[in-house]
Structure formats: structure tokens, C-alpha cells
Amino acid sequence: MFNQYLVDAEEPLLFHTGLRGLFPLVSAAVERVMPVERLRWVTFGHLEADECGSMNSWLAAAPHAQIAHGALGCLVSVNDLADRPPRPLADGEVMDLGGKRMRRIETPHVPHGWDAGLFFEETTGTLLCGDLFTSMGESPAVTDVEIVSPALAAEDTFGATCLTPGTGPTMRALADLEPSALCLMHGPAYRGDGGAALRDLAGAYEERLAAEGVRLHGPVTPSV
């Protein structure tokens, strides 16, 4: 699954653009809600083709739209890649969209990418969590079934998460927001105890870090 989220407000925001080749499909879906040219903000978690590959297509279709991304990601990549200057966001900065409030939370290397960050919509308690909880295969658009087991199964296959001493604490800080909904990029949107799900996933990653740390940082026998 590749999910994009439209936040309907006075200044509408799109979280994830999709790949360049998906622009016709995604823009048609937006048109069912509102005219594409109304779009004001385009944003994403981190630089990756499925998250921001079509950003310039959106800028071309929506003349008043602007990319908004973390300051580091803008400095390193978006300033050069985007056809219009982006709005760099500080950690904790809130974008008041008029009816919705999007708080940027920097999460470097969680789940991956040094420019990684997420958004918490404060009025609804929704965490747009990007690649966290990635699962495989088809799933419903929305679920209340636990999402940790599918995420760990996907991690076994892809190994996409950076396992560092900061992984667990970063996820536990997100859990302290006690989100009522988790909007996954690759998997169903989850309605339930988002804080508990994040803490369970953090614990599983901490166990993996401990195991992998022993394996990866043990004695190395020089080759002859």
C-alpha cells in the first residue's frame, strides 16, 4: 500500500505526494474532495521517491502551493529539488492551517533518513507516521486490529528501520502524545490506542538492537 493523506482545512495540506507516476491517480482522488489548485501545502516525512517523487507535479498543478519540510531536509535536498522555495520547519513548529494544526516533530533516523520527521495533527490527535508500522500485502483502509505484529513481519523482510540507541526513546516520545489515530504510509490507518502501539513497537526494536548490537559489534577476525 502507498497512502497519501489530504488534510482538509482553510489551507489544505497533502502529506506524501506519491511517486511521479502516481500523480494522475492521486490528483484525481484529491479532485473528488476539492480542486487541486486549492492545495496550499505539500509535505512528507523524509526524502524518498514514494514520499515526495511527484512534488513538482503538485507545484505545477497548484500555483499557490509550497513544499514544507524540516529545515535540515530543505537545506540538504529540497532547496535544490523543488521548483519553488520550500518553507523550512523547525522541530515542534506548528502550521496553523485554519481548522487544523500540524506540528512537525523531528525524528532523525526513525524509522530511517537523517531528515526524517512526522506530523501530529493537534485538533484530532492524529499522528501521520510515515514509514513506521510498515506492513506487507493488502489491507483495509482503516483498522482497529493491532498493527505491531504485521510491522515486525515486514521488518523481518526489509530491515528498513535504523536500529540505534535513539530509536526506542524517539518512539516512546511519540507515544507520549497518546495519538488516537495512526496514519500509516504502507498499511491501514489505525484507530485505537496509538500510544500503546508505539510503545510495543519501541520495545520490540530495543530488543532487536540489543541482539543485533552483540552480533554486529563483536570481535572481528581479520581476513588473511
Side-chain angles (χ1 to χ4, degrees), residues 6-203:
L6 178 65
V7 180
D8 193 7
E10 292 179 19
E11 297 186 6
L13 177 145
L14 182 70
F15 183 68
H16 301 151
T17 72
L19 300 159
R20 284 192 296 172
L22 289 179
F23 177 74
L25 290 173
V26 180
S27 59
V30 169
E31 281 283 354
R32 294 200 294 268
V33 180
M34 67 176 205
V36 167
E37 56 265 27
R38 273 198 62 219
L39 191 65
R40 179 64 182 90
W41 300 104
V42 177
T43 188
F44 40 88
H46 57 272
L47 270 290
E48 201 170 2
D50 59 348
E51 298 214 7
C52 61
S54 65
M55 63 179 172
N56 287 322
S57 298
W58 290 98
L59 293 181
H64 302 293
Q66 186 177 8
I67 306 297
H69 189 51
L72 175 64
C74 288
L75 177 66
V76 172
S77 299
V78 182
N79 287 343
D80 180 69
L81 294 175
D83 286 344
R84 287 198 288 275
R87 172 178 168 177
L89 300 173
D91 184 28
E93 184 172 348
V94 175
M95 301 176 68
D96 189 342
L97 307 183
K100 297 290 189 296
R101 291 173 54 84
M102 302 287 289
R103 188 197 317 172
R104 170 78 181 185
I105 302 171
E106 294 300 301
T107 61
H109 303 294
V110 178
H112 46 244
W114 69 332
D115 66 316
L118 306 175
F119 281 90
F120 183 64
E121 202 293 293
E122 295 180 337
T123 67
T124 60
T126 299
L127 182 67
L128 291 94
C129 54
D131 285 338
L132 284 174
F133 297 99
T134 286
S135 61
M136 299 180 293
E138 295 183 8
S139 61
V142 181
T143 188
D144 58 3
V145 178
E146 71 92 12
I147 56 175
V148 176
S149 297
L152 294 176
E155 184 66 20
D156 289 338
T157 299
F158 300 122
T161 301
C162 294
L163 296 177
T164 77
T167 303
T170 297
M171 294 180 62
R172 293 181 190 281
L174 294 173
D176 288 344
L177 296 170
E178 300 298 346
S180 59
L182 302 173
C183 288
L184 284 56
M185 183 173 191
H186 305 294
Y190 173 71
R191 288 177 177 162
D193 191 338
L198 285 159
R199 293 182 187 97
D200 288 346
L201 191 62

